[in-house]
Amino acid sequence: MAVSARRGAPLTLDEISSTAIRLMDASGVDGLSMRKLAAELNVNPMSLYHHVESKDALLALICATTAERMHVPPDDGAPWEEQLMALALDYHRHAKEHPAIWGYVHIHPSLVADRRLPIWQTLYRILRLAGVPESELRRTSDILHAFVSGFILAETQGHMSDDPEEVNRTFDAAIQLIIDGLARSTS
């Protein structure tokens, strides 16, 4: 079936990534193809290759776009404990909103390893407020990320309660334990 010619504004990377994110949220990684994306955008599949060179490049774009769109707590003077809890809750919510993307990132961690991404910069800022020495920022952030990601993996793999409210209470308790431990280690 031939795709009809696209009318209007030229195709943009933002339009491509937004549509791809929507498709991936609905159908997972396997449900995303250049052909399906082109059909959604009403373009010839070959026109996508002017913007992204392959499906792998498209997936990298999707991961970067969702990472950049994640809400992070502002530097508003709130205590570091509140900011860390807010960041953890935002990360958890983001992972639940985009489970296929989150899962893909965690089997391809190089896609979000860039420490210049807002989430890492925000975490570093909060850890500095908590008193973590500069020389320990990377190690501490890796440990915290591993714990939170492990929780989310257990949740997505069905190792938690089926009750979303209970999962949220358990997540809050886990983050509070992290905060308490971090406070003790930096005091």
Side-chain angles (χ1 to χ4, degrees):
M1 178 172 162
V3 175
S4 63
R6 180 183 168 90
R7 303 258 186 240
L11 192 58
T12 65
L13 272 179
D14 186 57
E15 184 180 14
I16 292 168
S17 63
S18 293
T19 303
I21 289 167
R22 186 173 43 76
L23 287 173
M24 201 164 157
D25 284 345
S27 307
V29 176
D30 294 336
L32 177 66
S33 69
M34 298 300 259
R35 242 181 231 299
K36 288 179 185 175
L37 179 58
E40 282 292 313
L41 293 167
N42 197 26
V43 298
N44 182 305
M46 293 310 293
S47 66
L48 292 173
Y49 292 98
H50 294 288
H51 301 277
V52 290
E53 63 188 41
S54 64
K55 183 177 178 181
D56 288 339
L58 174 63
L59 289 167
L61 174 66
I62 292 168
C63 292
T65 301
T66 54
E68 289 171 2
R69 289 180 182 174
M70 188 184 122
H71 177 267
V72 293
D75 187 3
D76 61 1
W80 71 264
E81 297 91 341
E82 290 176 22
Q83 291 186 48
L84 187 58
M85 179 64 81
L87 181 61
L89 292 172
D90 288 339
Y91 183 77
H92 185 231
R93 181 177 26 262
H94 190 71
K96 289 179 3 180
E97 288 172 358
H98 305 289
I101 296 167
W102 187 87
Y104 184 80
V105 162
H106 283 82
I107 58 173
H108 299 89
S110 64
L111 294 173
V112 291
D114 183 352
R115 295 298 167 127
R116 294 171 296 182
L117 288 171
I119 187 171
W120 291 115
Q121 289 300 304
T122 302
L123 181 55
Y124 279 16
R125 175 180 54 77
I126 294 167
L127 293 176
R128 286 184 186 103
L129 288 172
V132 174
E134 202 69 29
S135 62
E136 289 296 314
L137 285 178
R138 176 72 184 241
R139 179 192 330 267
T140 305
S141 65
D142 284 347
I143 291 167
L144 295 178
H145 183 256
F147 276 112
V148 173
S149 295
F151 183 98
I152 295 169
L153 180 63
E155 179 183 2
T156 59
Q157 296 298 310
H159 300 295
M160 298 279 179
S161 169
D162 290 339
D163 178 3
E165 289 181 24
E166 179 59 27
V167 170
N168 288 338
R169 283 191 297 274
T170 303
F171 185 76
D172 289 350
I175 299 305
Q176 191 59 57
L177 287 171
I178 289 170
I179 289 170
D180 294 346
L182 186 57
R184 278 193 303 277
S185 73
T186 58
S187 58

